Amino acid sequence: MTTVDQSPLARLRELGAAGRLTEDHAAVAQLLSQIASGAQGLADLTRAGQILARRDPDEILRRATDSGETVRPVTVAVTGHSTIEPLVAPLTAEFARHGYLLRPSVGEFDAYLRDLQDPSSHLYSRDTELALVVLDPQMIFDELPKPWSVADVEQTVTAKMAQLDRLVGNYVRHAKATLVLNTVPLHRIHTHSLVDLRSRTRLSVAWRSFNTALLGLSEKYARVQVIDLDPLIAEGGPVHDQRMAVYAKVQLGDEVLSRYAREVGHLIRALHGRTKKVLVVDLDNTLWDGILGDDGAEGIAAATTFRGEAFGLFQRTVQQLGSQGVVLAISSKNDREAVLAVLRDHPDMVLRDTDFARINANWEPKDTNLTDIAARLNLGVDSFVFADDSSFETGLVAMSLPSVAVVCLDDEPALHTSKLLADGWFDVLDLTDEDRARGELYRGEAARSDLLAGADSMAEYLRQLGIRVELKLVEQPDVARVAQLTLRTNQFNLTTQRWQQADVTDRINDPDHLVLSIRSADRFGDNGVVGALFARRDDGELHIENMVLSCRVFARGIEDAVMGTLLAYARDSGLRAVHGRYLPTAKNGKVREFYPAQGFDTVAEGAGGELTFRHDLQTIPAIPDHVRITSNFLDRVEGRLA
């Protein structure tokens, strides 16, 4: 029976009542996205999480396997000083919203120190991907003498920081999960238990020093992230409910925990390399106030007027994202020449035509334009974020391209920026040089497209490109970029093994491993580090663990040159053979024949389509004539792997 209330939360409840929450994962994710963008998004997501937490994770995975749907389970261990069970519901909803199935493991009350110290605790479990240690102010105040002084607090936070540093160091040495801590709010009941203002100031100084030291742990340890609660608390809502704190020992309120859960959802996306790459924006009433076709260039504004200032702020935010490697594009129902004239000459515009990798100003449907932009950039639409003020356009894209993250703007431009930034779609663990240059790199693709269009043949195009490749041993400055490539590359990714920076570092420090970065350039500029190759020696033979290559440089002969160089190195080093594997995914089908094309023999085909290959090094494929490759590893690893 259809209910009168058709809110997304009501429809989720209907799915639950119909017993379909375990079988319709995609529909659940879409409803959660709608719930998140609602006026009561945080509270309703918690309610949704309470519904979803009743599901049987094993049953969800079984049904997903039967239907061919991809559902990624993530085990998250949670511990803390106070009551932390209320975190599970919002965490369940946030993970489901991003296509993850949360498998939570919640520790006992006030067990965080024991859990951090004990290698047999759930934080250290091999299945644990995220270990959340939820810190709250009572972890300090419970250890103070009664009554306490500021000197007691100063002494205790110093000792606590030293204890945490030691425990965190021990954890990252013995566990594989990413450890997540948080800064700790200072409640008014603590500051105002002191009657003199000077002591309150000293307490605040000590507290901020403690939080600064906590944040410093993420700089000190590669697999530690510290969520700063200050910006989350500043968004509004009570930090805690004093009644719940006294009676139930819940020291962080529902709204803070909901915002914390959202940040953890963004973090798991970044850890899995699911960061979005492209921001596609509308123009009319999105980047500027007014409708270009109706009002003319003189009738639109992005500055000088009351509303125009808000659009100018939004443009500066988009520009800020672009400066950090987010590729910008436009999809607008307008005449192209009129749009270009505004972007080039209008005095209000912060963003200019040269800031965008693609400008699709035409009268085609928006979903068609997004597909076209993706094809032109050689990217999947699942790497796109689309922002538009039209509910018709956002609804169309959400329905026809469900993998696109849709930002629903409205007629209040002052909120455009906060809506765009609400979900951290572009968050990465570290910003690399390649990230900062990505916009320029993709704009260079337009020049390459022009060259290709004017060339007589593909061979002539490749010859004119003047491709140069540098193959070298990975050193510490390139670790972040190499790890990022394993996380974010989907198409040319032979085994789809995802490695964090610590995993890459472990390999470059292991003498049995060979980790190479692939850097390319051509007549249009430096493409940066575009790929990586991981191999290890075993009993006189070389096993390629994985090879990844950015989709920006596919089919230019770079992969052939790299493999030819590696095989020649293996032969010259006296190795008997080189082995490779291909593990199929939904996106890497185009590289299924890569190894056979390089002269490898197929030796086995396993369940699920896994292929294993062997090259006997008798005939080494030639380096393509149009590629000039240099390498620095041949001499430096002489005798190391042989």
Side-chain angles (χ1 to χ4, degrees):
M1 184 179 74
T2 303
T3 61
V4 174
D5 184 356
Q6 285 298 302
S7 70
L9 183 58
R11 280 180 275 156
L12 187 77
R13 289 193 175 109
E14 284 187 351
L15 278 179
R20 295 175 53 201
L21 288 178
T22 58
E23 65 186 31
D24 207 341
H25 210 72
V28 169
Q30 284 196 340
L31 286 173
L32 291 173
S33 292
Q34 295 172 27
I35 292 171
S37 61
Q40 302 297 321
L42 289 174
D44 283 348
L45 269 184
T46 296
R47 297 184 184 98
Q50 291 165 348
I51 297 170
L52 298 175
R54 300 171 195 147
R55 301 178 301 173
D56 180 351
D58 293 330
E59 180 64 11
I60 293 172
L61 291 174
R62 187 186 67 76
R63 288 175 178 265
T65 301
D66 290 345
S67 64
E69 189 179 5
T70 301
V71 177
R72 174 69 190 271
V74 178
T75 300
V76 178
V78 187
T79 190
H81 171 72
S82 60
T83 302
I84 50 178
E85 282 79 2
L87 177 60
V88 173
L91 209 55
T92 299
E94 292 290 351
F95 273 49
R97 190 157 73 91
H98 298 301
Y100 294 105
L101 175 64
L102 176 70
R103 285 183 177 275
S105 167
V106 181
E108 297 176 357
F109 179 80
D110 193 20
Y112 76 108
L113 293 176
R114 187 182 67 203
D115 287 343
L116 271 174
Q117 192 167 25
D118 182 4
S120 67
S121 80
H122 62 145
L123 298 189
Y124 286 81
S125 169
R126 290 174 58 86
D127 296 333
T128 297
E129 285 193 55
L130 282 181
L132 309 183
V133 179
V134 183
L135 305 177
D136 64 71
Q138 286 307 121
M139 61 183 280
I140 300 298
F141 285 96
D142 283 351
E143 295 188 8
L144 299 182
K146 308 296 185 296
W148 54 271
S149 67
V150 174
D152 295 324
V153 174
E154 291 170 337
Q155 182 177 0
T156 301
V157 295
T158 300
K160 182 62 69 180
M161 194 61 239
Q163 182 184 33
L164 285 173
D165 193 351
R166 177 174 54 80
L167 291 174
V168 168
N170 183 66
Y171 182 83
V172 298
R173 282 192 295 274
H174 297 96
K176 292 297 184 183
T178 295
L179 181 66
V180 182
L181 307 173
N182 57 275
T183 59
V184 184
L186 181 61
H187 296 329
R188 188 175 185 276
I189 60 169
H190 297 130
T191 57
H192 286 64
S193 293
L194 300 169
V195 297
D196 70 294
L197 299 184
R198 191 171 303 280
S199 293
R200 290 180 189 174
T201 301
R202 277 185 57 195
L203 175 60
S204 294
V205 169
W207 207 259
R208 281 165 174 74
S209 297
F210 178 55
N211 279 329
T212 299
L214 279 172
L215 290 166
L217 292 177
S218 64
E219 289 288 322
K220 185 174 182 179
Y221 302 106
R223 280 190 292 107
V224 174
Q225 299 293 327
V226 182
I227 295 177
D228 189 356
L229 293 191
D230 279 0
L232 311 186
I233 292 170
E235 287 287 301
V239 177
H240 75 159
D241 183 326
Q242 187 60 26
R243 293 164 299 180
M244 292 296 290
V246 171
Y247 297 130
K249 310 303 180 191
V250 178
Q251 299 296 337
L252 297 176
D254 289 344
E255 187 158 343
V256 173
L257 288 179
S258 294
R259 295 185 188 281
Y260 171 90
R262 180 159 293 185
E263 296 299 316
V264 175
H266 301 168
L267 173 61
I268 195 65
R269 243 185 19 221
L271 286 169
H272 286 185
R274 294 178 61 187
T275 299
K276 302 292 185 182
K277 298 176 181 175
V278 183
L279 172 60
V280 183
V281 292
D282 173 47
L283 294 176
D284 294 336
N285 291 321
T286 295
L287 278 195
W288 56 62
D289 187 19
I291 299 174
L292 179 60
D294 294 339
D295 304 322
E298 68 281 359
I300 64 172
T304 68
T305 68
F306 188 68
R307 283 173 56 85
E309 294 289 344
F311 287 96
L313 172 63
F314 185 62
Q315 286 202 30
R316 287 192 286 277
T317 301
V318 173
Q319 183 188 49
Q320 176 73 15
L321 294 175
S323 73
Q324 297 167 88
V326 176
V327 180
L328 306 180
I330 288 172
S331 176
S332 172
K333 287 183 174 175
N334 266 304
D335 291 329
R336 179 176 174 82
E337 291 307 315
V339 166
L340 290 176
V342 168
L343 291 173
R344 288 167 180 165
D345 302 324
H346 198 290
D348 285 3
M349 296 302 124
V350 176
L351 292 163
R352 295 299 180 184
D353 59 321
T354 52
D355 290 313
F356 297 95
R358 290 290 306 173
I359 299 175
N360 278 31
N362 52 46
W363 299 95
E364 296 294 324
K366 293 289 180 79
D367 55 343
T368 302
N369 268 318
L370 262 64
T371 303
D372 175 70
I373 293 170
R376 301 276 184 171
L377 298 178
N378 199 17
L379 291 169
V381 292
D382 59 351
S383 63
F384 278 37
V385 174
F386 173 61
D388 198 311
D389 69 299
S390 164
S391 58
F392 171 80
E393 302 293 2
T394 54
L396 172 68
V397 171
M399 180 173 293
S400 63
L401 301 172
S403 62
V404 174
V406 175
V407 178
C408 301
L409 306 177
D410 55 26
D411 58 358
E412 178 48 83
L415 300 179
H416 280 12
T417 294
S418 58
K419 288 177 183 289
L420 175 62
L421 301 179
D423 261 310
W425 293 115
F426 306 106
D427 288 359
V428 294
L429 299 181
D430 288 287
L431 201 64
T432 66
D433 290 341
E434 284 74 11
D435 289 328
R436 295 183 180 89
R438 185 178 294 115
E440 184 61 34
L441 295 174
Y442 275 97
R443 284 189 288 276
E445 289 304 303
R448 294 183 182 88
S449 296
D450 292 341
L451 177 64
L452 177 60
D456 294 333
S457 65
M458 177 59 76
E460 176 63 16
Y461 163 68
L462 292 173
R463 191 190 64 76
Q464 290 191 34
L465 268 184
I467 298 169
R468 306 180 300 280
V469 177
E470 181 185 40
L471 189 61
K472 70 172 192 175
L473 287 173
V474 171
E475 297 179 340
Q476 203 60 41
D478 284 332
V479 166
R481 172 59 179 164
V482 168
Q484 185 186 70
L485 281 164
T486 74
L487 294 170
R488 300 180 66 174
T489 303
N490 296 307
Q491 298 180 70
F492 199 119
N493 191 333
L494 292 168
T495 58
T496 320
Q497 296 181 81
R498 311 292 193 186
W499 287 317
Q500 304 295 329
Q501 293 183 38
D503 302 316
V504 176
T505 299
D506 288 345
R507 281 170 171 76
I508 65 176
N509 290 333
D510 186 334
D512 285 337
H513 280 79
L514 185 65
V515 184
L516 303 175
S517 66
I518 304 165
R519 189 181 191 95
S520 78
D522 59 31
R523 61 182 285 185
F524 295 108
D526 187 354
N527 290 308
V529 176
V530 295
L533 188 148
F534 300 83
R536 63 177 169 78
R537 181 195 64 177
D538 186 12
D539 193 24
E541 299 186 342
L542 193 64
H543 296 257
I544 300 172
E545 293 184 318
N546 200 12
M547 178 176 169
V548 295
L549 193 67
S550 169
C551 57
R552 288 188 289 111
V553 296
F554 275 5
R556 296 179 189 173
I558 294 173
E559 57 270 40
D560 305 317
V562 168
M563 190 54 63
T565 301
L566 181 78
L567 292 173
Y569 154 74
R571 178 199 58 196
D572 297 343
S573 299
L575 296 173
R576 295 192 303 273
V578 176
H579 299 263
R581 283 196 309 152
Y582 165 74
L583 297 176
T585 69
K587 294 186 175 180
N588 71 352
K590 66 172 57 179
V591 294
R592 188 177 188 277
E593 300 302 320
F594 174 68
Y595 280 120
Q598 306 301 321
F600 284 71
D601 296 320
T602 304
V603 296
E605 180 168 358
E610 176 182 357
L611 299 171
T612 56
F613 305 92
R614 183 178 187 276
H615 199 293
D616 61 12
L617 302 178
Q618 296 301 307
T619 303
I620 305 299
I623 306 297
D625 291 339
H626 64 272
V627 177
R628 182 160 60 86
I629 186 167
T630 58
S631 60
N632 78 341
F633 74 96
L634 300 178
D635 295 334
R636 295 179 60 181
V637 297
E638 187 71 29
R640 175 175 165 180
L641 295 177

